[in-house]
Amino acid sequence: MRTEVVGGRRRLRLLSIVAVANLAAVGLVAAPSQAQGVSLCSGTAEGFTIAGDLAVPAGASCTLINSTVRGNVVVRDDANLSLEGSTVEGNLTVRANGFVGALDSSVGGVTALREAFGVSVEQSELNRVNVNNSGFFFSDGTSHAQVNSNTGQTVIISGWVTGNVRTTLDLLTDIRDTVVTGTLTVDQAELGSVVCRSEVDGNVTVRGSGDLIQLGDSAPVAGCEFNVLGGRLTLADNTAEIRVSDNVIRGNLNCTGNAITPAGSDNRLRGTATGQCADLAPASVAPAFGGAAEMTTESRIAGITRQIEERSAAAIAEAVEAGPADL
């Protein structure tokens, strides 16, 4: 994996598989073949069309370039799948400790993470995403129908979600440079939620969460900038430090039961502020996050991006080492 900076922010990019291109050039990548039942992929393949279902065997690594799977794809335990310019017309299921890295690709069915290591998608198109007890779902420059996560980590950057985003018991839920046409609900996120430079057309609710909740341009996360929230904003029963500044909020601002009174300023509120936010004011003391005063949106998710880089590089290398996929 390589990194590049676009518009002043760090971006992850999957490696172009030079080694695979070289294999294709010398004719070592096999031509498409007709297989009965589920096709198994271990190794690298380019320009394939798989008429039925595809599985990556447990512990194996598969790279598909400019290929189409007409059916469903399953990434089995401890397996890896790298997609570049490829299409999965059915569902994509990622099982225990499995990993998927996708670039310029699409999934027409449901993307389901079941105790997975994680999924990273860039410049892609996904339908529904369901995460259950998995490491992370990381999305950059990708469109989705909806995103639901239960006990994971959710990061959506420069995305478009035509439905709702809902997370429960996530470690963190961060949304940046993204449009959500439905609602955003964050319930019991251990490290809270940071929402920056985003538009949410429906209601936003953050409840029962810890560490940090920040919406808009305020410390401790620098460079967050304002949000446009089309519905009401509800902050309830959180133990986190809460900062709400420089947002456009077209509904009501409701704050209740939070362990620390929310702080903020310069919000353009078209509804009514109630409860602990009735007299919202800037924080009078520095936030109690230790060194977090120097935090940026990138540093907050650095642990996830590091995991993606390491696992993706290993997956691609293993697929190249395995040779041409016998599909």
Side-chain angles (χ1 to χ4, degrees):
M1 176 173 293
R2 61 185 174 88
T3 61
E4 61 183 55
V5 176
V6 176
R9 64 186 179 87
R10 181 176 181 273
R11 297 202 42 177
L12 294 169
R13 299 289 290 175
L14 293 175
L15 288 169
S16 295
I17 319 299
V18 176
V20 176
N22 290 338
L23 287 173
V26 297
L28 293 181
V29 175
S33 61
Q34 185 69 33
Q36 294 182 351
V38 178
S39 298
L40 300 179
C41 181
S42 178
T44 59
E46 183 171 4
F48 276 62
T49 297
I50 295 95
D53 296 338
L54 179 74
V56 184
S61 292
C62 169
T63 294
L64 294 179
I65 303 172
N66 298 329
S67 296
T68 298
V69 180
R70 301 291 188 195
N72 302 317
V73 173
V74 176
V75 180
R76 293 175 178 165
D77 295 2
D78 304 306
N80 303 295
L81 173 64
S82 301
L83 300 172
E84 184 173 333
S86 294
T87 298
V88 176
E89 295 185 355
N91 300 325
L92 171 61
T93 302
V94 190
R95 294 181 178 168
N97 199 40
F99 171 74
V100 171
L103 171 65
D104 295 328
S105 297
S106 65
V107 178
V110 177
T111 299
L113 286 69
R114 300 290 178 259
E115 301 183 355
F117 178 84
V119 167
S120 172
V121 291
E122 299 179 59
Q123 303 299 324
S124 296
E125 296 181 5
L126 301 184
N127 197 341
R128 291 183 291 134
V129 178
N130 293 328
V131 180
N132 185 41
N133 196 27
S134 297
F136 57 83
F137 175 69
F138 182 96
S139 169
D140 190 351
T142 295
S143 63
H144 317 77
Q146 65 180 41
V147 177
N148 295 302
S149 177
N150 190 331
T151 316
Q153 297 180 82
T154 303
V155 177
I156 304 176
I157 301 170
S158 298
W160 189 285
V161 184
T162 57
N164 302 328
V165 175
R166 182 181 183 90
T167 71
T168 304
L169 294 170
D170 261 13
L171 182 62
L172 60 81
T173 301
D174 283 9
I175 310 292
R176 189 166 89 237
D177 299 313
T178 290
V179 174
V180 179
T181 64
T183 61
L184 170 62
T185 304
V186 180
D187 193 0
Q188 302 176 73
E190 181 179 341
L191 299 181
S193 180
V194 173
V195 182
C196 301
R197 295 192 298 272
S198 293
E199 174 186 331
V200 182
D201 294 340
N203 298 326
V204 176
T205 302
V206 185
R207 66 165 68 91
S209 297
D211 194 57
L212 170 63
I213 297 168
Q214 180 174 325
L215 294 96
D217 192 12
S218 178
V221 177
C224 193
E225 299 183 16
F226 74 96
N227 302 291
V228 176
L229 310 181
R232 66 177 179 271
L233 171 59
T234 301
L235 303 167
D237 303 323
N238 299 290
T239 59
E241 296 270 1
I242 302 174
R243 302 289 185 263
V244 183
S245 292
D246 294 307
N247 300 287
V248 175
I249 304 171
R250 295 192 172 116
N252 296 330
L253 173 58
N254 305 318
C255 303
T256 181
N258 299 293
I260 303 170
T261 300
S265 62
D266 299 322
N267 295 291
R268 284 166 283 177
L269 180 64
R270 297 185 182 177
T272 302
T274 62
Q276 293 170 302
C277 288
D279 298 308
L280 194 67
S284 58
V285 296
F289 299 109
E294 301 299 322
M295 188 186 304
T296 65
T297 52
E298 286 80 8
S299 66
R300 179 170 159 84
I301 60 172
I304 299 174
T305 56
R306 184 168 54 251
Q307 290 180 71
I308 295 170
E309 289 173 348
E310 293 173 354
R311 184 71 179 252
S312 180
I316 292 170
E318 289 169 6
V320 170
E321 184 178 359
D326 184 19
L327 294 176

